Amino acid sequence: MKPEQILRGLKTRSFGRNLLWLEKTTSTNDVVAELALQGALEGTVVAAETQTKGRGRQGRRWSSAAGKSLAFSILLRPKLHADELSEITLASAVGVAKTLEDFHFKPRIKWPNDLLLEGRKVCGILTEMGPKKDKMTAVVLGIGINLNQGARDFPKELGGIATSLYRVSGRKVNRALFFQKLLLHLEDAYHKVSERHFSKILAEWRKRSSTLGQQVKVAQSHHVFYGHVVDADEKGALLVRNDLGMVERVTSGDVEILGSHS
Ligand code: BTN
């Protein structure tokens, strides 16, 4: 795709105004981190058809089908503390959800950053701190979303857990149009965070959460426990009541949904 196809009709103030569309790169998150060091502006977007080192959370790989999905990263320069990064992640998940709803899908958000359709993952978000050497704080927001892949485009091991808009609806979406709407929703969600209106995001997140009220297994690097999800707090951390009745704040790790609380 050519950047002009996106820029024509793009309604954002800054997101995507500076847009680099690459055929192939290692990881768009790394390219954006590099551009941050060179002083790139907030809202700079790097997208790639193919990533040779696309990565997800917890060191997992992210593979995206060229021409059928979107893999991109946005440079942010927020005035937030590192522990407020979750706010950006949750806000971005809400932005993606609203875009999917514009296209008549009914997404659910699995904390913190997975977008699900019919219980399968359609989008992942990886928020990373930018390079330490950077004088201005940078955050790299990386998003991978499955649009037009058919069942055969997914590796066998992902077939049962991943999906695309095409697999769900049987219809192909216009990637440029989807991307334009997505950038606008992401910018809007990000502004709510930077203007300290995270409570609005939280309300939107609660409405779409697949995690609230569920029994879960939380796996963190040195701590695994079971509990019941009671809420997310004003910083975007998940609040889980453990078997001892104590509420633990979860800001990292994996959350596996075991079922509804009875
Ligand atoms: C996850 O679900 O674990 C997050 C996946 C994030 C994938 C995107 S694709 C664009 C950007 N570049 C990367 O290397 N990762 C993110």
Side-chain angles (χ1 to χ4, degrees), residues 108-112 114 116 205-206 208-216 228-231 238-240 255-257 259:
R108 309 292 292 161
I109 305 172
K110 179 174 172 288
W111 188 91
D114 287 355
L116 309 181
W205 179 83
R206 282 194 186 102
R208 298 168 175 91
S209 170
S210 71
T211 318
L212 279 184
Q214 301 286 330
Q215 283 297 122
V216 291
H228 174 232
V229 179
V230 282
D231 205 355
L238 200 66
L239 302 177
V240 183
V255 172
E256 186 187 336
I257 296 175

Side-chain angles (χ1 to χ4, degrees), residues 62 89-101 106-125 143-146 161-163 182 205 208 210:
W62 180 266
T89 305
L90 258 63
S92 308
V94 168
V96 177
K98 287 187 167 184
T99 314
L100 292 169
E101 286 161 8
K106 291 194 169 57
R108 309 292 292 161
I109 305 172
K110 179 174 172 288
W111 188 91
N113 60 357
D114 287 355
L115 272 291
L116 309 181
L117 286 179
E118 299 178 343
R120 289 178 177 164
K121 181 159 166 170
V122 71
C123 170
I125 301 174
I143 300 185
I145 174 155
N146 301 326
I161 54 173
T163 195
L182 178 58
W205 179 83
R208 298 168 175 91
S210 71

Side-chain angles (χ1 to χ4, degrees), residues 178-229:
F178 188 91
F179 200 32
Q180 288 166 346
K181 284 188 188 283
L182 178 58
L183 289 174
L184 192 59
H185 278 303
L186 289 171
E187 186 176 81
D188 183 56
Y190 175 62
H191 281 162
K192 288 205 177 93
V193 172
S194 33
E195 285 156 15
R196 302 270 158 203
H197 295 312
F198 184 66
S199 57
K200 289 188 185 154
I201 295 291
L202 209 49
E204 302 271 18
W205 179 83
R206 282 194 186 102
K207 277 193 259 173
R208 298 168 175 91
S209 170
S210 71
T211 318
L212 279 184
Q214 301 286 330
Q215 283 297 122
V216 291
K217 175 182 174 185
V218 179
Q220 295 168 312
S221 39
H222 299 291
H223 182 41
V224 176
F225 69 97
Y226 292 83
H228 174 232
V229 179

